[in-house]
Amino acid sequence: MKFVIGNWKMNGTRAILREMIERAANIQTENRVALCVPFTMLGEKSDIIAMGAQDISTHDRGAYTGEISGAMLAEAGAKYVIVGHSERRMYHDETNDIVRAKAARALESGLTPIICVGETADERRAGKTLEIITSGVRESVPENVSGDIIIAYEPRWAIGAGITPTADDIATAHRVIAETLSYMHLIGTPILYGASVNSKNVADIVAIENVDGVLVGGASLKPDEFIPIIENAK
Ligand code: 13P
């Protein structure tokens, strides 16, 4: 079993989501599949595709115009929520401390947080990849993990770029994340790879040691790509 999770970002329509759900109903898979869609689409239902959100407030209620709480996401139909995606870190100045608070809120609401870590192009050039992902995991995972969590390794320079790190680089990053999680007594936490995954490279990527699945951006918006990704991830 692998995880195949899509991140629609601020894209997609309900019509595409319904087409995806219809086509997914006809496939045989042991994989755990989810789509993290815009908030307005969380109510769509599917036996194969669970729904996820892309952000959550650090607060549980109150005068925070525009924010959305974990309880609201759960009530709307979400099972998962992405926290600390590189675009939130980049455009909304989210730090590891904020991401940890969001992940804690998700757990309190019975949601599975998908906690993203990954290095920028500059950090990679400076040889800091492993340091960034280690501190990302240590500082973004809440102290008392009371439910399921997922880690996503997303090398920020490869997102939407049509390029991926080498298999060796992915293996090294995932090994270091697995070691960090083991040190934190979180052995067995799934670790997904994300950035430029498509129907052609997914089988090779999930074959890499310690890769428990994929977090897919652009290709998760196209049924002709995402359905084969679900089928090929094994
Ligand atoms: P792409 O698959 O479009 O590179 O995006 C990856 C991503 O950001 C998933 O969260």
Side-chain angles (χ1 to χ4, degrees):
M1 186 281 287
K2 298 286 181 183
F3 286 87
V4 178
I5 302 186
N7 172 13
W8 274 19
K9 311 188 180 184
M10 198 172 70
N11 296 300
T13 62
R14 201 177 286 275
I16 300 175
L17 183 54
R18 287 187 176 153
E19 182 187 342
M20 202 76 89
I21 288 170
E22 244 177 70
R23 288 182 56 179
N26 299 320
I27 61 177
Q28 295 291 327
T29 182
E30 286 175 9
N31 290 335
R32 279 209 208 147
V33 184
L35 280 172
C36 296
V37 293
F39 297 134
T40 51
M41 298 181 207
L42 286 172
E44 293 296 319
K45 302 231 174 336
S46 159
D47 291 338
I48 306 280
I49 305 178
M51 295 298 141
Q54 302 167 18
D55 189 30
I56 179 173
S57 174
T58 55
H59 305 282
D60 63 356
R61 70 170 64 78
Y64 302 103
T65 301
E67 294 284 280
I68 191 151
S69 73
M72 291 167 185
L73 294 176
E75 188 178 60
K79 296 275 175 282
Y80 297 89
V81 58
I82 296 173
V83 292
H85 189 275
S86 85
E87 287 141 23
R88 301 288 317 173
R89 291 177 186 263
M90 191 162 40
Y91 303 130
H92 300 272
D93 298 325
E94 288 194 5
T95 59
N96 287 336
D97 286 346
I98 293 173
V99 175
R100 187 174 67 246
K102 290 187 170 192
R105 287 293 183 211
L107 286 167
E108 280 167 24
S109 309
L111 301 168
T112 300
I114 303 163
I115 303 169
C116 301
V117 297
E119 77 286 2
T120 63
D122 283 349
E123 288 160 349
R124 179 174 182 243
R125 268 192 296 274
K128 290 191 175 160
T129 298
L130 300 179
E131 183 187 323
I132 291 292
I133 61 183
T134 304
S135 59
V137 172
R138 282 214 185 132
E139 294 169 18
S140 303
V141 171
E143 249 177 49
N144 297 310
V145 173
S146 55
D148 292 340
I149 65 165
I150 292 174
I151 303 294
Y153 169 55
E154 297 209 317
R156 290 163 68 169
W157 50 273
I159 292 177
I163 46 168
T164 59
T166 63
D168 278 354
D169 283 348
I170 295 176
T172 304
H174 280 242
R175 180 177 45 74
V176 165
I177 293 171
E179 284 167 5
T180 306
L181 288 165
S182 136
Y183 181 79
M184 296 167 78
H185 307 292
L186 292 168
I187 291 174
T189 299
I191 308 167
L192 314 190
Y193 167 81
S196 297
V197 175
N198 58 46
S199 60
K200 303 220 160 48
N201 63 16
V202 67
D204 288 341
I205 290 172
V206 298
I208 299 168
E209 205 171 352
N210 293 311
V211 175
D212 301 303
V214 285
L215 184 55
V216 188
S220 72
L221 281 150
K222 303 176 199 136
D224 285 343
E225 269 292 299
F226 194 60
I227 299 295
I229 288 175
I230 300 169
E231 293 172 316
N232 297 347
K234 56 185 176 205

